[in-house]
PDB file of all heavy atoms in Angstrom:
ATOM      1  N   GLY A 152       4.812 -35.675 -44.109  1.00 89.00           N
ATOM      2  CA  GLY A 152       3.747 -34.938 -44.622  1.00 89.00           C
ATOM      3  C   GLY A 152       3.589 -33.522 -43.998  1.00 89.00           C
ATOM      4  O   GLY A 152       4.281 -33.192 -43.032  1.00 89.00           O
ATOM      5  N   ASP A 153       2.646 -32.769 -44.566  1.00 88.00           N
ATOM      6  CA  ASP A 153       2.580 -31.253 -44.142  1.00 88.00           C
ATOM      7  C   ASP A 153       1.883 -31.253 -42.742  1.00 88.00           C
ATOM      8  O   ASP A 153       0.740 -31.607 -42.647  1.00 88.00           O
ATOM      9  CB  ASP A 153       1.728 -30.530 -45.201  1.00 88.00           C
ATOM     10  CG  ASP A 153       1.687 -29.110 -45.011  1.00 88.00           C
ATOM     11  OD1 ASP A 153       1.859 -28.637 -43.943  1.00 88.00           O
ATOM     12  OD2 ASP A 153       1.511 -28.420 -46.092  1.00 88.00           O
ATOM     13  N   PRO A 154       2.596 -30.674 -41.809  1.00 90.00           N
ATOM     14  CA  PRO A 154       1.966 -30.626 -40.390  1.00 90.00           C
ATOM     15  C   PRO A 154       0.665 -29.626 -40.506  1.00 90.00           C
ATOM     16  O   PRO A 154      -0.160 -29.845 -39.621  1.00 90.00           O
ATOM     17  CB  PRO A 154       3.057 -30.095 -39.556  1.00 90.00           C
ATOM     18  CG  PRO A 154       4.185 -29.668 -40.457  1.00 90.00           C
ATOM     19  CD  PRO A 154       4.030 -30.261 -41.761  1.00 90.00           C
ATOM     20  N   ASP A 155       0.680 -28.668 -41.218  1.00 87.00           N
ATOM     21  CA  ASP A 155      -0.444 -27.824 -41.347  1.00 87.00           C
ATOM     22  C   ASP A 155      -1.731 -28.464 -41.704  1.00 87.00           C
ATOM     23  O   ASP A 155      -2.766 -28.192 -41.174  1.00 87.00           O
ATOM     24  CB  ASP A 155      -0.180 -26.554 -42.208  1.00 87.00           C
ATOM     25  CG  ASP A 155       0.898 -25.619 -41.821  1.00 87.00           C
ATOM     26  OD1 ASP A 155       1.213 -25.567 -40.493  1.00 87.00           O
ATOM     27  OD2 ASP A 155       1.559 -24.986 -42.571  1.00 87.00           O
ATOM     28  N   LEU A 156      -1.603 -29.422 -42.606  1.00 89.00           N
ATOM     29  CA  LEU A 156      -2.782 -30.087 -43.228  1.00 89.00           C
ATOM     30  C   LEU A 156      -3.198 -30.995 -42.042  1.00 89.00           C
ATOM     31  O   LEU A 156      -4.519 -31.067 -41.750  1.00 89.00           O
ATOM     32  CB  LEU A 156      -2.508 -30.839 -44.344  1.00 89.00           C
ATOM     33  CG  LEU A 156      -2.330 -29.973 -45.669  1.00 89.00           C
ATOM     34  CD1 LEU A 156      -1.909 -30.905 -46.755  1.00 89.00           C
ATOM     35  CD2 LEU A 156      -3.629 -29.280 -45.972  1.00 89.00           C
ATOM     36  N   LEU A 157      -2.367 -31.738 -41.458  1.00 93.00           N
ATOM     37  CA  LEU A 157      -2.847 -32.655 -40.436  1.00 93.00           C
ATOM     38  C   LEU A 157      -3.335 -31.863 -39.163  1.00 93.00           C
ATOM     39  O   LEU A 157      -4.381 -32.371 -38.505  1.00 93.00           O
ATOM     40  CB  LEU A 157      -1.734 -33.669 -39.993  1.00 93.00           C
ATOM     41  CG  LEU A 157      -2.217 -34.867 -39.226  1.00 93.00           C
ATOM     42  CD1 LEU A 157      -3.156 -35.597 -39.855  1.00 93.00           C
ATOM     43  CD2 LEU A 157      -0.921 -35.665 -38.822  1.00 93.00           C
ATOM     44  N   ARG A 158      -2.812 -30.816 -38.807  1.00 91.00           N
ATOM     45  CA  ARG A 158      -3.327 -29.961 -37.679  1.00 91.00           C
ATOM     46  C   ARG A 158      -4.745 -29.503 -38.053  1.00 91.00           C
ATOM     47  O   ARG A 158      -5.460 -29.482 -37.019  1.00 91.00           O
ATOM     48  CB  ARG A 158      -2.308 -28.716 -37.543  1.00 91.00           C
ATOM     49  CG  ARG A 158      -2.642 -27.960 -36.221  1.00 91.00           C
ATOM     50  CD  ARG A 158      -1.764 -26.804 -36.067  1.00 91.00           C
ATOM     51  NE  ARG A 158      -0.305 -27.260 -36.073  1.00 91.00           N
ATOM     52  CZ  ARG A 158       0.453 -26.885 -37.101  1.00 91.00           C
ATOM     53  NH1 ARG A 158       0.100 -26.143 -38.163  1.00 91.00           N
ATOM     54  NH2 ARG A 158       1.765 -27.210 -37.068  1.00 91.00           N
ATOM     55  N   GLN A 159      -4.999 -29.213 -39.228  1.00 90.00           N
ATOM     56  CA  GLN A 159      -6.388 -28.775 -39.457  1.00 90.00           C
ATOM     57  C   GLN A 159      -7.345 -29.871 -39.304  1.00 90.00           C
ATOM     58  O   GLN A 159      -8.523 -29.708 -38.772  1.00 90.00           O
ATOM     59  CB  GLN A 159      -6.457 -28.344 -40.996  1.00 90.00           C
ATOM     60  CG  GLN A 159      -7.829 -27.738 -41.470  1.00 90.00           C
ATOM     61  CD  GLN A 159      -8.103 -26.465 -40.684  1.00 90.00           C
ATOM     62  OE1 GLN A 159      -7.073 -25.694 -40.477  1.00 90.00           O
ATOM     63  NE2 GLN A 159      -9.307 -26.121 -40.480  1.00 90.00           N
ATOM     64  N   VAL A 160      -7.020 -31.129 -39.504  1.00 93.00           N
ATOM     65  CA  VAL A 160      -7.736 -32.278 -39.229  1.00 93.00           C
ATOM     66  C   VAL A 160      -8.119 -32.356 -37.761  1.00 93.00           C
ATOM     67  O   VAL A 160      -9.282 -32.508 -37.342  1.00 93.00           O
ATOM     68  CB  VAL A 160      -7.102 -33.628 -39.648  1.00 93.00           C
ATOM     69  CG1 VAL A 160      -7.864 -34.861 -39.231  1.00 93.00           C
ATOM     70  CG2 VAL A 160      -7.005 -33.709 -41.161  1.00 93.00           C
ATOM     71  N   PHE A 161      -7.013 -32.293 -36.913  1.00 94.00           N
ATOM     72  CA  PHE A 161      -7.259 -32.339 -35.476  1.00 94.00           C
ATOM     73  C   PHE A 161      -8.000 -31.144 -35.031  1.00 94.00           C
ATOM     74  O   PHE A 161      -8.852 -31.263 -34.073  1.00 94.00           O
ATOM     75  CB  PHE A 161      -5.933 -32.179 -34.749  1.00 94.00           C
ATOM     76  CG  PHE A 161      -5.030 -33.537 -35.143  1.00 94.00           C
ATOM     77  CD1 PHE A 161      -3.590 -33.319 -35.159  1.00 94.00           C
ATOM     78  CD2 PHE A 161      -5.665 -34.719 -35.288  1.00 94.00           C
ATOM     79  CE1 PHE A 161      -2.861 -34.428 -35.498  1.00 94.00           C
ATOM     80  CE2 PHE A 161      -4.833 -35.868 -35.621  1.00 94.00           C
ATOM     81  CZ  PHE A 161      -3.467 -35.684 -35.674  1.00 94.00           C
ATOM     82  N   MET A 162      -7.871 -29.948 -35.583  1.00 89.00           N
ATOM     83  CA  MET A 162      -8.670 -28.764 -35.186  1.00 89.00           C
ATOM     84  C   MET A 162     -10.094 -28.978 -35.444  1.00 89.00           C
ATOM     85  O   MET A 162     -10.919 -28.698 -34.640  1.00 89.00           O
ATOM     86  CB  MET A 162      -8.072 -27.577 -35.977  1.00 89.00           C
ATOM     87  CG  MET A 162      -6.794 -27.012 -35.460  1.00 89.00           C
ATOM     88  SD  MET A 162      -6.017 -25.869 -36.475  1.00 89.00           S
ATOM     89  CE  MET A 162      -7.269 -24.582 -36.673  1.00 89.00           C
ATOM     90  N   ASN A 163     -10.412 -29.529 -36.581  1.00 90.00           N
ATOM     91  CA  ASN A 163     -11.797 -29.783 -36.952  1.00 90.00           C
ATOM     92  C   ASN A 163     -12.443 -30.867 -36.029  1.00 90.00           C
ATOM     93  O   ASN A 163     -13.681 -30.652 -35.674  1.00 90.00           O
ATOM     94  CB  ASN A 163     -11.853 -30.323 -38.445  1.00 90.00           C
ATOM     95  CG  ASN A 163     -11.583 -29.134 -39.456  1.00 90.00           C
ATOM     96  OD1 ASN A 163     -11.424 -28.010 -39.005  1.00 90.00           O
ATOM     97  ND2 ASN A 163     -11.596 -29.551 -40.638  1.00 90.00           N
ATOM     98  N   ILE A 164     -11.798 -31.885 -35.624  1.00 94.00           N
ATOM     99  CA  ILE A 164     -12.336 -32.829 -34.727  1.00 94.00           C
ATOM    100  C   ILE A 164     -12.536 -32.348 -33.355  1.00 94.00           C
ATOM    101  O   ILE A 164     -13.605 -32.450 -32.656  1.00 94.00           O
ATOM    102  CB  ILE A 164     -11.485 -34.132 -34.789  1.00 94.00           C
ATOM    103  CG1 ILE A 164     -11.537 -34.711 -36.179  1.00 94.00           C
ATOM    104  CG2 ILE A 164     -11.900 -35.141 -33.618  1.00 94.00           C
ATOM    105  CD1 ILE A 164     -10.595 -35.993 -36.222  1.00 94.00           C
TER     106      ILE A 164
END
Side-chain angles (χ1 to χ4, degrees):
D153 191 330
D155 291 335
L156 287 174
L157 193 58
R158 188 181 303 113
Q159 187 68 30
V160 171
F161 297 145
M162 286 166 57
N163 288 354
I164 294 176

